[in-house]
Amino acid sequence: MRLLHEVWIIVAPLVGLAAVIALAIDARRRRLARAAVDASAWPDLPRDTVAVEMPQLGEGITTATVIRIMKHVGEPVQVGDAAAEVSTDKVDTEIPATAAGTVAAVFVGEGDEVPVGYPLLAVRPSAVAEQQMKC
């Protein structure tokens, strides 16, 4: 029994140290990934369009990976239509469109990691699209 106690006295701090090192490595990996995303240029929206942006999906979630784009350039879109499907370390979810009209641009592709607030699509609102068709 004494031998077990002596082994535990040696092993316990090593296990704790390994856990601290693993947490530090994971935190550094996340900081580097976030810095790479922040360094990328955000696209300019086409004139007379509204962005469908990557929303905040939960506390502490700063980025998500695009699984699938569900709306493409030229397709009509309504408010609430699924525009994209994204994945985080906590959840996979569909991102709803926040504007109705026609998709004017798609800024992301499958597998892209995007930060909260990044524009996924540009939508030309219905009134603007109708006005341009009359001209």
Side-chain angles (χ1 to χ4, degrees):
M1 190 61 126
R2 184 163 168 80
L3 178 63
L4 182 61
H5 177 71
E6 289 177 13
V7 169
W8 179 249
I9 289 174
I10 295 170
V11 171
L14 294 176
V15 170
L17 180 61
V20 169
I21 290 171
L23 289 172
I25 289 171
D26 186 55
R28 179 168 170 74
R29 181 190 58 78
R30 288 177 185 264
R31 278 194 308 274
L32 290 173
R34 179 68 184 162
V37 168
D38 288 344
S40 64
W42 286 31
D44 292 326
L45 293 176
R47 197 172 132 233
D48 298 326
T49 62
V50 177
V52 174
E53 297 177 346
M54 175 64 206
Q56 179 75 42
L57 296 175
E59 188 175 327
I61 295 182
T62 58
T63 64
T65 302
V66 177
I67 297 173
R68 182 171 51 141
I69 297 296
M70 298 174 168
K71 294 293 181 179
H72 302 283
V73 174
E75 289 183 4
V77 64
Q78 297 296 321
V79 173
D81 285 356
E85 184 178 1
V86 299
S87 175
T88 69
D89 58 346
K90 296 181 181 179
V91 69
D92 291 356
T93 189
E94 293 180 349
I95 305 302
T98 54
T102 305
V103 177
V106 177
F107 300 116
V108 296
E110 293 178 4
D112 290 351
E113 186 172 351
V114 294
V116 170
Y118 193 87
L120 304 172
L121 309 171
V123 175
R124 183 161 282 110
S126 300
V128 175
E130 290 173 14
Q131 191 176 39
Q132 287 184 346
M133 290 176 68
K134 291 179 184 178
C135 293

